[in-house]
């Protein structure tokens, strides 16, 4: 009995009218945890009831504390008939179980109903008393911290990085149970919401146990997803990186103590140095470890196996519901081998050298090898589980004690994929995969599993056992240890220690140096000597899934690059369908890659970061969307142009056409170089006497997919003097492709965009941030060709981006960061695109300055130097921009007579507005709503995160049977997304936080049936609740005189 | 091929002032897009008509979702659905409750009933203000009226508190409520030259001086009704015209004071009895609700028009009224000084305000 959960229901407000006769409500509350339920008294005839209940106490196992949410139901008492439910609140009490997170949940939480949405708010108080549990065999993992952030969280330092943790749980989907036919949609939705809550809790607990086993105390880069497999069930799965974290103890002192705020520059660093890798010592001389990178993309390797043995693989799914023994009979060779391997090295299996991190402590990441990805197509089958009776339908099963095959099947699927990723990494000469993620796309009974990451070599000095011995390493425990305990001093020691083993290399380029053997390149690449240090080989192009390392030297700015593709396919069923899909995948991925490459060249850049390829499957088509942030890495060679070659040079007009196109392309490249400020220092090309033949890359090469990871693809050894990228126009398709290439419209003036955490080349963010989600669904006509589809899909994405720029025009100059596109095919002929991102304003004048500095290769130094000055500016901007997010110079609609308000405004522009808002604040100060910032980034510009309060992981369903009345599909979804935001904000505020970082909307499943006037939507969001303090406020407490001046100048600025 | 669904939701709700105004003015989405295109926002931001349409629809939807909250502005501050900075909230409320002078002139003093609402399409045609906007404005008047009607304490302050309106706007609403409650006639042809601001000014005078709340702040009564006792007392002023001596005495005092100070002295002298009778009669009749309604028309007919036909300037009128008021106090037999001051103070400022072309 190691825990006591206490809850108190204080009051409600804005309740809906439940009794039409009196226009009032007789509300009471049920508080439920596990199987225990308490009730408050009925508070009669009020829309703002004051229950002020006693403390309801639940004595429970900590295991349950982790699994179960606290469920609060608000009802309307009815003497004669059944009580009507007003709505529910689910409270995840996990944050209270960790001593370093929140201590109490207290505040106004929206009361949510799956049919009516938010219906008023309820004020609750929740606390947990945990008793020490000495049981070594416990099933709970209380105290393990979870972070969605894919870097070491800002106020922690990593003592050790243990490695990959994963888990999945499976259950029947309540929506598909027989009982669903007789229960109300509300009951069904609530059953699903509750089930997913329970499963998430269980999953987190189990992952926590694994972390404890490994000796860690936290999971960083925690990524939880659910797969709605329909008839065959519901899978909730999660991956993460187990770490041992230590709170930076000096930190809280900074907030209150004047003493140590100014001297330690490292403290400030993370905030300005955009994406500083979590650990504050980043400011130190970027660790001189040798970092090399590598490059390239191994696109389709994954299904190479698939295509060869797809039939057998497909049959793996236990259609018959037989035990694993039964299916074993069908196993084909490769699988058996796989299983053998599994048993041989169980340890190895569990400990993949994978890291979900995308930003690393300095010196951790040595070389980057390139993107590795794997996909496989599977057939889903019905969950076979006799134990799931209706009575226990929501009770989770303990899969360990069950012979059910389902989770094992799913586990095996992922095992396979991970194995493949691992071997891809190996073939790139890398022993680890970073920036790793997994995803699925499901259509009916077909499921595409995808995994991708970046092959890399991590610092050997961080490895637990001695120097790395490339291949063997893999089978050993891939425990990576890096102690950053004694800050910079240690960093230096570490680097000197590593001297003996790897030469010191300029940190700005180290990670680009190839990790693989240059004579045995696993894929076609053009190697040259590094343009920074001139000593090591670098590839010509580098693709990665991670964020741009802080220490990387970049020329100019970056930009979002997207490749978009549609492929039609025939309608089919079962295995035929799956085979068709797996046959299409390589082509899809190949073309995406070609598109990315072309677009990269067109922008005069040579590297991609944050690459994310999403493949979505529908009944009659496949969608592919690759997003990444292109940059020009100073260390890599300047990309050649794009050269168009016609196949049939007979016709004069045709030639002319081609030369026109060539001219257009050249113009675009020149324009882009100007736009992104790419002026690499001129290099004397001939410096390098090339010791190896420089393979020339041709687009043709991409067509030759390596059939397996072992066989190195043919390399075109033709020596060419020009390193232009050649496009052969051999048919109309290619012409279209080139047209498509040129139709990407440039971002409007003042805008930048990227899908990574920060934009290279911009440092001076102001504190104005605006997170948003935008969703579009497009209906297609039947019978479109691939070309037509492509154009539509591409236009859809382009137009969406254009709309975003327009919406956010008041924030210019600004950058859309972490642009995360998600595509789906909700039904035939529908394409859904959802985007979540954050717009950050920056200070233009500083940009120019920094732009100059970044040309000098050490932007980071520049920041440290500018520190004081910058800080000052940030404060000013914080003030001005937060007070008026309004479009700057929007002209009033002057011609209208009703401009009473505006005419007054002209007379006394701001002061009036100010005083008024002040007053209104005052009169409602008791209940006015705290502002909660939300951002998909791991940091808040101009502010310091001082505490992590726990993970936010929420799942909601909304359904309506009066779609038209709610404003149609757009009105319905608009309201729902706004409600989800509101609930996230309220829960964060209740935890005592003022922001959510690393926020993401992981799922947005929208279904409609306009004929029946119905629609349903499921949304899953997650993030880390934090408390942040403005830099300016920190200043106030530390440097009094300066703060005084700041304030006065604020005043001047503000009006 | 069509966009089936298109939404944008910001953590901080993004609202464009210009689009908001178009929405308030009752433009349809398509018309609003046209206006925006003409406004040149497209060139400014390199946008296309498609983008503009999407943005406008989105904004309209946001406003519609907010409208429910704007009906109870206090709720806007502590609702959780939209995160709107306080200055933005104030802007939303202020503009939502803003109204067109030409519209309010049409309904001022009318009963805020369903019947009036039905006639709004005529008002819309007459004023050129879109029907949707007329309805919003009318509903605002009605909503404010209903809330304030029941409340005790100062009218303007109540409106400001409940609807979080800036002071000038709260005063205008007080005037509208006051007019609606007392059903002052404002629509007659002779009153057409008066603007809403003229009436609002007069309403302010009446509220501040002639209601119960005006004399005694401690009295927990409403500001919307005229002080009955005072109206009763006004009857006593009749002595000024019924008593022949008093009337002559008054006239000679005023004429003495005015002599040589104005070009129109002769006209003033000739008209004195007429004007005085007019003003005092208005006072005496105010006890009847029906005559209260005609207050403004009476002022115009009995005083303003005669003065105007005599070509008095407003300086002349001011001079005349000042001496007319003061001289009464010197009359030996006239005892009702307080009532006189209270009455003439308001009358004088109202007339001066209304005395223009």
């Amino acid at each position: 009995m190691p825990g006591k959960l206490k809850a108190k229901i204080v009051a409600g407000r804005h309740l809906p009218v439940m009794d039409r006769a009196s226009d009032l409500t007789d509300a009471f509350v049920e508080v439920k945890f596990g199987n225990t339920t308490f009730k408050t008294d009925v508070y009669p005839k009020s829309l703002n009831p004051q229950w002020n209940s006693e403390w309801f106490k639940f004595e429970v196992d900590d295991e349950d504390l982790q699994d179960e949410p606290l469920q609060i139901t608000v009802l309307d008492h009815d003497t004669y008939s059944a009580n009507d439910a007003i709505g529910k609140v689910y409270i995840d009490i996990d944050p209270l179980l960790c001593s370093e997170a929140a201590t109490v949940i207290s505040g106004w939480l929206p009361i949510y109903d799956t049919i009516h949405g938010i219906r008023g708010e309820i004020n609750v108080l929740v606390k947990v008393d945990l008793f020490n549990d000495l049981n070594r065999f416990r099933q709970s993992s209380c105290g393990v911290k979870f972070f969605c952030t894919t870097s070491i969280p800002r106020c922690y330092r990593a003592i050790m990085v243990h490695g990959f943790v994963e888990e999945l749980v499976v259950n029947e989907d309540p929506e598909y149970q027989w009982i669903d036919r007789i229960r109300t949609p509300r009951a069904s939705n609530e059953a699903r919401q509750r089930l997913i809550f329970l499963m998430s809790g269980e999953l987190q607990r189990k992952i926590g146990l694994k972390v404890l086993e490994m000796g860690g105390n936290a999971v960083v880069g925690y990524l939880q997803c659910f797969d709605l497999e329909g008839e065959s069930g519901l899978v909730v799965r999660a991956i993460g990186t187990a770490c041992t974290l230590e709170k930076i103890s000096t930190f809280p002192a900074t907030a209150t103590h004047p003493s140590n705020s100014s001297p330690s520059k490292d403290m400030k660093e993370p905030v300005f140095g955009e994406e500083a890798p979590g650990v504050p010592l980043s400011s130190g001389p970027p660790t001189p470890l040798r970092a090399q990178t590598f490059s390239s993309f191994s696109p389709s390797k994954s299904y190479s196996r698939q295509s060869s043995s797809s039939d057998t693989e497909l049959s793996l799914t236990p259609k018959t519901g037989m035990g694993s023994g039964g299916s074993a009979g069908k196993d084909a060779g490769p699988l058996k081998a796989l299983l053998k391997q599994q048993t041989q090295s169980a340890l190895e299996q569990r400990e993949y050298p994978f890291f979900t991190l995308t930003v690393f402590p300095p010196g951790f990441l040595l070389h980057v090898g390139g993107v590795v990805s794997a996909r496989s197509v599977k057939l889903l089958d019905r969950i076979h589980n006799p134990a799931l009776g209706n009575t226990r339908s929501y009770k989770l099963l303990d899969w360990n004690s069950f012979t059910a095959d389902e989770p094992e099947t799913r586990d095996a699927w992922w095992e396979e994929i991970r194995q493949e990723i691992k071997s891809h990494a190996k073939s790139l000469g890398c022993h680890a995969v970073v920036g790793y993620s997994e995803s699925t796309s499901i259509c009916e009974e077909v499921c595409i599993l995808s995994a991708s990451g970046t092959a890399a070599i991590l610092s050997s000095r961080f490895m637990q056992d001695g120097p790395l011995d490339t291949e063997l390493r893999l089978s050993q425990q891939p425990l990576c240890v890096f102690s950053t305990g004694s800050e910079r001093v240690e960093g230096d020691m570490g680097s000197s220690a590593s001297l003996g083993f790897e030469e010191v290399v300029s940190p700005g380029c180290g990670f680009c140096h190839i990790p693989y053997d240059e004579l045995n390149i696993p894929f076609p690449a053009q190697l040259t000597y590094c343009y920074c240090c001139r000593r090591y080989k670098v590839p010509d192009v580098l693709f990665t899934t991670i964020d741009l390392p802080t220490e990387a030297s970049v020329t100019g700015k970056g930009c979002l690059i997207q490749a978009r593709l549609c492929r039609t396919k025939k309608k089919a069923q079962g295995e035929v369908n799956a085979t068709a899909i797996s046959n299409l995948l390589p082509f899809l991925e190949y073309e995406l890659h070609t598109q990315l490459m072309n677009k990269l060249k067109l922008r005069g850049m040579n590297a991609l970061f944050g690459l994310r390829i999403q493949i979505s499957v529908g009944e009659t088509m496949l969608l592919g969307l690759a997003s990444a942030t292109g940059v020009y890495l100073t260390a890599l060679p300047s990309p050649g142009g794009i050269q168009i070659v016609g196949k049939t040079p007979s016709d004069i007009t045709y030639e002319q056409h081609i030369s026109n196109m060539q001219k257009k392309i050249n113009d675009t490249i020149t324009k882009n170089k100007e736009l992104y400020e790419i002026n690499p220092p001129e290099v004397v090309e001939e410096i390098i006497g090339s010791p190896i033949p420089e393979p020339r890359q041709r687009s043709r090469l991409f067509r030759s997919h390596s059939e397996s990871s072992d066989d190195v693809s043919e390399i075109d050894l033709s020596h060419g003097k020009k390193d232009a990228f050649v496009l052969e126009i051999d048919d109309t398709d290619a012409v279209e492709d080139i047209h498509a290439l040129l139709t990407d419209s440039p971002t409007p003036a003042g805008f930048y965009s990227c899908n990574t955490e920060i934009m290279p080349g911009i440092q001076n963010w102001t504190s104005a941030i605006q997170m948003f989600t935008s969703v579009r669904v497009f209906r297609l006509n039947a019978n479109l060709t691939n070309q037509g589809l492509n154009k539509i899909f591409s236009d859809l994405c382009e137009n969406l981006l254009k709309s975003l720029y327009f919406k956010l025009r008041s924030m210019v100059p600004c950058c859309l960061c972490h642009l995360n596109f998600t595509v789906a095919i909700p039904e035939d002929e529908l394409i859904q695109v959802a985007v979540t991102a954050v717009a950050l304003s920056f200070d233009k004048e500083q940009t120019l300055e920094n732009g100059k500095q970044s040309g000098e290769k050490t932007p980071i130094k520049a920041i440290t130097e500018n520190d004081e000055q910058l800080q000052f500016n940030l404060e000013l901007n914080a003030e001005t921009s937060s007070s008026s997010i309004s479009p700057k110079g929007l002209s009033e609609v002057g011609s209208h007579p009703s401009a009473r308000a505006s005419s007054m405004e002209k007379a006394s522009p701001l002061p009036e507005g100010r005083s008024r808002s002040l007053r209104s604040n005052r009169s409602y100060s008791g209940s006015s709503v705290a502002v909660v910032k939300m951002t998909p980034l791991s940091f808040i510009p101009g502010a310091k995160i001082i505490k992590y309060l726990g993970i936010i992981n929420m799942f909601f369903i909304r359904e309506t049977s009066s779609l038209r009345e709610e404003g149609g599909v757009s009105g319905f979804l608009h309201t729902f997304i706004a409600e989800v935001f509101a609930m996230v904000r309220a829960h964060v505020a209740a935890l005592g936080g003022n922001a959510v970082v690393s926020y993401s909307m992981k799922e947005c499943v929208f279904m409609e049936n306009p004929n029946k006037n119905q629609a349903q939507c499921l949304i899953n969001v997650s993030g880390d609740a934090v408390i942040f303090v403005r830099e300016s406020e920190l200043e106030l407490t530390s440097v009094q005189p300066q703060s005084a001046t700041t304030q006065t100048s604020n005043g001047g600025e503000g009006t | 091929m069509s966009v089936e669904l298109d939404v944008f939701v910001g953590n901080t709700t993004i609202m464009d002032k210009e689009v908001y105004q178009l929405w308030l003015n009752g433009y349809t989405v398509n018309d609003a897009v046209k206006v925006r295109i003409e406004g040149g926002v497209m060139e400014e931001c390199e946008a296309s008509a498609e983008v503009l349409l999407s943005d406008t629809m989105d904004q309209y939807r946001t406003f519609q979702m907010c409208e429910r909250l704007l009906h109870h502005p206090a709720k806007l501050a502590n609702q959780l659905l939209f995160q709107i900075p306080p200055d933005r909230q104030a802007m939303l409320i202020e503009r939502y409750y803003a109204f067109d002078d030409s519209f309010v002139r049409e309904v001022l003093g009318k009963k805020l009933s369903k019947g009036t609402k039905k006639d709004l399409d005529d008002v819309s045609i007459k004023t050129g203000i879109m029907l949707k906007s007329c309805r919003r404005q009318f509903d605002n008047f009605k909503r404010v009226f209903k809330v304030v009607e029941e409340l005790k304490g100062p009218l303007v302050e109540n409106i400001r508190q409940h609807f979080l309106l800036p002071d000038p706007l709260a005063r205008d609403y007080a005037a509208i409520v006051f007019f609606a409650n007392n059903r002052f006639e404002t629509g007659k042809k002779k009153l057409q030259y008066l603007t809403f601001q003229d009436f609002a000014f007069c309403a302010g005078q009446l509220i501040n001086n002639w209601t119960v709340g005006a004399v005694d702040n401690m009295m927990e009564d409403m500001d919307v009704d005229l002080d009955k006792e005072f109206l009763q007392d006004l009857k006593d002023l009749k002595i000024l015209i019924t008593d022949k001596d008093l009337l002559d005495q008054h006239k000679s005092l005023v004429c003495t004071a005015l002599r040589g100070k104005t070009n129109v002295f002769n006209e003033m002298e000739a008209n004195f009895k007429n004007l005085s009778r007019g003003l005092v009669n208005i006072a005496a009749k105010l006890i009847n609700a029906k005559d209260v309604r005609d207050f403004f028309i009476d002022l115009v007919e009995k005083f303003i028009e005669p003065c105007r036909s005599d070509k008095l300037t407003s300086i002349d009128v001011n001079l005349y009224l000042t001496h007319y008021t003061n001289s009464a106090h010197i009359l030996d037999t006239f005892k009702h000084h307080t009532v006189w001051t209270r009455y003439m103070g308001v009358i004088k400022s109202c007339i001066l305000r209304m005395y223009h072309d």
Side-chain angles (χ1 to χ4, degrees), chain A residues 694-720:
Chain A
E694 290 188 3
R696 170 133 161 268
Q697 200 163 357
R698 286 187 159 230
S699 61
R700 184 159 55 79
L701 284 181
F702 290 102
R703 259 165 239 161
S704 62
H705 278 277
S706 46
E707 278 299 275
S708 79
S709 43
D710 307 297
D711 104 326
V712 175
S713 28
E714 36 182 311
I715 297 170
D716 185 348
L717 293 177
S718 63
H719 297 248

Side-chain angles (χ1 to χ4, degrees), chain A residues 90-261:
Chain A
Y90 292 103
I91 300 177
D92 180 10
I93 44 180
D94 217 49
L96 298 181
L97 303 179
C98 177
S99 53
E100 281 167 35
T103 52
V104 64
I105 294 172
S106 162
W108 290 101
L109 300 174
I111 302 167
Y112 182 73
D113 177 75
T114 59
I115 306 293
H116 294 103
I118 292 179
R119 306 175 95 188
E121 292 117 41
I122 186 167
N123 195 322
V124 295
L125 265 171
V126 183
K127 285 182 184 174
V128 172
D129 291 335
L130 270 187
F131 312 132
N132 271 339
D133 183 12
L134 300 174
N135 178 7
R136 304 170 100 238
F137 304 102
R138 60 185 185 162
Q139 287 296 300
S140 79
S141 52
C142 289
V144 173
K145 296 177 282 286
F146 285 79
F147 301 92
C148 295
T149 304
T150 56
S151 55
I152 301 302
R154 298 273 154 158
C155 49
Y156 289 91
R157 83 173 110 240
I159 303 295
M160 249 215 253
V161 177
H162 301 278
F164 190 60
V165 280
E166 47 76 32
E167 185 64 85
L168 63 78
V169 291
V170 182
N171 207 326
E172 216 173 325
D173 190 338
E175 186 105 335
Y176 294 88
Q177 283 167 331
W178 71 267
I179 194 171
D180 204 58
R181 281 175 220 158
I182 53 167
R183 66 181 162 193
T184 62
R186 176 183 281 119
S188 162
N189 291 339
E190 283 175 2
R192 266 178 127 185
Q193 281 191 168
R194 185 171 142 71
L195 179 69
I196 290 199
F197 253 108
L198 279 168
M199 289 170 79
S200 309
E202 185 195 352
L203 196 66
Q204 226 170 302
R205 173 173 60 82
K206 286 186 167 172
I207 288 213
L209 278 171
K210 288 188 175 179
V211 171
L212 290 176
E213 234 168 78
M214 294 166 109
N217 65 1
V219 182
V220 179
Y222 184 67
L223 174 70
Q224 185 204 290
C225 296
F226 63 85
D227 303 329
L228 294 172
E229 296 184 351
E231 288 283 320
S232 70
L234 194 64
V235 178
V236 184
R237 58 194 163 77
I239 54 175
T241 306
C243 295
T244 303
L245 298 182
E246 184 185 78
K247 192 140 201 226
I248 298 170
S249 50
T250 58
F251 197 76
T254 338
T256 49
H257 257 270
S259 57
N260 54 355
S261 76

Side-chain angles (χ1 to χ4, degrees), chain A residues 13-14 108-110 118 121 747-749 769-781 784 792 799 802-804 806-809 830 882-887 890-893 896-898 900-902 904-905 912 916-917 919-921 923-924 927-934 969-971 973-975 977-979 981-982 985-986 1006 1008, chain B residues 1-19 21-22 25 27 35-36 39 41-42 44-48 50-52 54-56 58-59 61-62 65 74-75 77-83 85-91 94-95 98-102 129 133 136-137 160-162 164-169 172 196-197:
Chain A
R13 68 179 185 195
H14 305 153
W108 290 101
L109 300 174
I118 292 179
E121 292 117 41
T747 53
I769 70 170
Q770 168 70 282
M771 188 281 294
F772 58 85
T773 291
S774 185
V775 182
R776 275 192 190 183
V777 176
F778 205 79
R779 184 171 290 282
L780 306 167
N781 285 344
L784 279 162
I792 288 167
N799 287 338
K802 275 186 208 157
S803 276
L804 298 181
F806 183 74
K807 281 265 182 206
L808 298 161
R809 63 194 185 283
L830 284 188
S882 65
S883 62
S884 59
I885 307 187
S886 58
L890 263 189
S891 55
E892 308 279 325
V893 186
H896 298 284
S898 64
R900 165 176 303 279
S902 56
M904 266 166 22
E905 246 171 38
E912 203 187 23
R916 201 181 320 125
S917 61
R919 195 195 47 240
S920 60
N921 270 354
S923 46
Y924 292 93
S927 53
S928 85
V929 183
V931 172
V932 175
K933 301 233 175 204
M934 293 169 76
V969 283
S970 295
L973 193 62
H974 194 141
T975 315
I977 294 174
E979 282 172 343
F981 283 6
R985 288 193 299 257
F1006 179 76
E1008 57 167 325
Chain B
M1 274 157 283
S2 57
V3 175
E4 181 110 347
L5 180 159
D6 179 9
V7 299
F8 175 99
V9 188
N11 183 36
T12 304
T13 308
I14 293 183
M15 295 178 177
D16 184 320
K17 277 191 197 177
E18 189 202 357
V19 184
Q21 195 59 57
L22 292 170
N25 290 347
Y27 283 79
V35 173
R36 294 183 81 185
V41 75
M42 247 161 59
E44 228 173 87
C45 315
E46 308 170 31
S48 65
E50 222 173 301
V51 165
L52 220 53
S54 146
D55 178 62
T56 311
D58 204 66
Q59 300 258 357
R61 203 161 44 232
T62 310
M65 287 160 73
K75 273 193 187 163
N78 57 16
Q79 50 84 32
L80 302 177
L81 194 56
F82 301 103
Q83 190 157 277
D87 61 323
R88 233 25 356 203
Q89 289 182 16
M91 183 280 288
E94 185 175 329
R95 294 224 178 158
F99 49 82
D100 295 293
D101 280 0
S102 57
I129 297 162
S133 177
R136 185 197 91 243
Q137 299 183 33
R160 213 165 50 185
Q161 289 261 327
H162 275 84
L164 308 178
L165 297 178
D167 202 54
L169 196 53
D172 286 349
F196 168 71
Q197 282 309 322

Side-chain angles (χ1 to χ4, degrees), chain B residues 122-140:
Chain B
D122 296 337
V123 176
S124 167
I125 292 162
K126 189 172 168 195
T127 57
I129 297 162
M130 293 196 196
L131 184 59
K132 220 177 143 222
S133 177
C134 290
R135 292 215 173 111
R136 185 197 91 243
Q137 299 183 33
F138 184 81
D139 289 340
N140 282 344

Side-chain angles (χ1 to χ4, degrees), chain A residues 288-431:
Chain A
L289 282 188
R290 177 162 182 240
Q292 298 200 82
T293 321
F294 80 122
S295 93
S296 114
F297 178 83
S298 69
S300 56
K301 289 193 179 149
S302 33
Y303 19 83
S304 51
R305 180 190 306 174
Q306 191 69 42
S307 44
S308 58
S309 62
S310 57
D311 287 353
T312 50
E313 293 232 347
L314 289 169
S315 64
L316 283 184
T317 16
K319 267 172 259 178
T320 52
M322 283 188 284
S324 50
S327 63
K330 287 178 167 183
D331 281 352
L335 184 77
K336 266 186 193 150
L338 195 102
L339 286 176
K340 211 195 258 172
Q341 217 178 331
Q342 278 174 352
T343 45
Q344 267 176 353
S345 50
L347 189 74
E348 183 192 342
Q349 293 302 318
R350 221 184 58 232
E351 288 164 329
Y352 290 97
F354 295 172
F355 300 85
T356 52
L357 301 178
T358 57
V359 175
F360 304 89
F364 191 42
L365 184 69
L366 294 187
H367 311 279
V368 180
V371 169
V372 285
S373 73
R375 288 179 211 283
S376 84
V377 183
K378 298 291 183 189
L379 271 182
L380 300 171
D381 211 336
R382 182 147 182 76
I383 275 189
H384 170 71
N385 197 345
L388 278 179
N390 358 336
T391 48
R392 300 186 58 207
S393 51
Y394 310 135
K395 184 68 190 160
L396 284 173
L397 295 165
D398 180 1
W399 291 104
N400 297 329
S401 65
F402 255 97
T403 48
D405 50 12
E406 202 58 24
E408 265 144 47
T409 312
R410 298 291 182 275
D411 270 335
W413 289 356
W414 287 110
E415 296 271 286
E416 245 173 70
I417 291 215
R418 289 170 194 148
Q419 282 298 335
E420 205 165 326
I421 290 275
K422 202 163 128 181
S423 69
H424 287 329
K426 212 191 270 183
S427 69
L428 282 174
C430 294
H431 63 127

Side-chain angles (χ1 to χ4, degrees), chain A residues 530-551:
Chain A
C530 173
Y531 278 60
C532 280
C533 66
R534 305 254 158 230
R535 279 197 275 173
Y536 297 95
K537 288 287 171 63
V538 293
D540 56 343
V541 183
L542 183 54
F543 284 13
T544 76
T545 58
I546 55 169
D547 260 39
L548 184 68
T550 351
E551 65 268 20

Side-chain angles (χ1 to χ4, degrees), chain B residues 280-300:
Chain B
V280 174
N281 273 328
I282 293 174
K285 286 196 303 181
L286 278 178
I287 190 70
N288 308 317
K290 197 192 149 292
D291 292 302
V292 169
R293 290 184 197 172
D294 290 336
F295 177 68
F296 292 99
I297 191 102
D298 286 346
L299 278 185
V300 170

Side-chain angles (χ1 to χ4, degrees), chain A residues 622-773:
Chain A
L622 283 174
L623 275 185
L625 179 67
S627 312
T629 301
V631 294
Y632 185 102
L633 284 177
T634 320
L636 265 48
S638 174
I642 297 176
Q643 193 194 332
I644 301 179
V645 177
K647 254 265 165 84
T648 47
S650 52
D651 194 351
I652 296 177
T653 53
Y654 184 66
E655 294 240 298
Q656 215 159 17
H657 178 63
I658 285 188
S659 74
N660 271 345
M661 235 168 353
Q662 181 70 54
K663 190 174 172 302
K664 253 191 216 163
I665 287 179
N666 293 346
D667 288 351
T668 314
I669 294 178
T670 321
K671 224 166 59 195
N672 278 330
K673 280 191 174 174
E674 226 165 86
L675 183 63
Y676 301 113
E677 297 162 30
I678 301 173
N679 335 294
E682 290 300 318
V683 187
V684 195
E685 293 286 334
E686 308 317 320
I687 274 183
I688 323 152
S690 66
I692 51 152
E694 290 188 3
R696 170 133 161 268
Q697 200 163 357
R698 286 187 159 230
S699 61
R700 184 159 55 79
L701 284 181
F702 290 102
R703 259 165 239 161
S704 62
H705 278 277
S706 46
E707 278 299 275
S708 79
S709 43
D710 307 297
D711 104 326
V712 175
S713 28
E714 36 182 311
I715 297 170
D716 185 348
L717 293 177
S718 63
H719 297 248
K721 288 251 158 62
K722 274 201 266 164
D723 46 357
F725 192 69
V726 181
L727 280 180
E728 278 177 8
I729 302 186
D730 40 10
D731 53 16
T732 43
D733 276 17
V735 177
E736 292 284 333
D737 285 348
I738 289 166
H739 269 299
L741 199 61
L742 292 166
T743 51
D744 269 14
S745 43
T747 53
F751 274 107
Y752 292 94
S753 56
C754 61
N755 75 336
T756 47
E757 285 244 308
I758 46 109
M759 176 64 143
I762 302 177
Q763 270 95 35
N764 36 308
W765 305 108
T766 71
S767 62
I769 70 170
Q770 168 70 282
M771 188 281 294
F772 58 85
T773 291

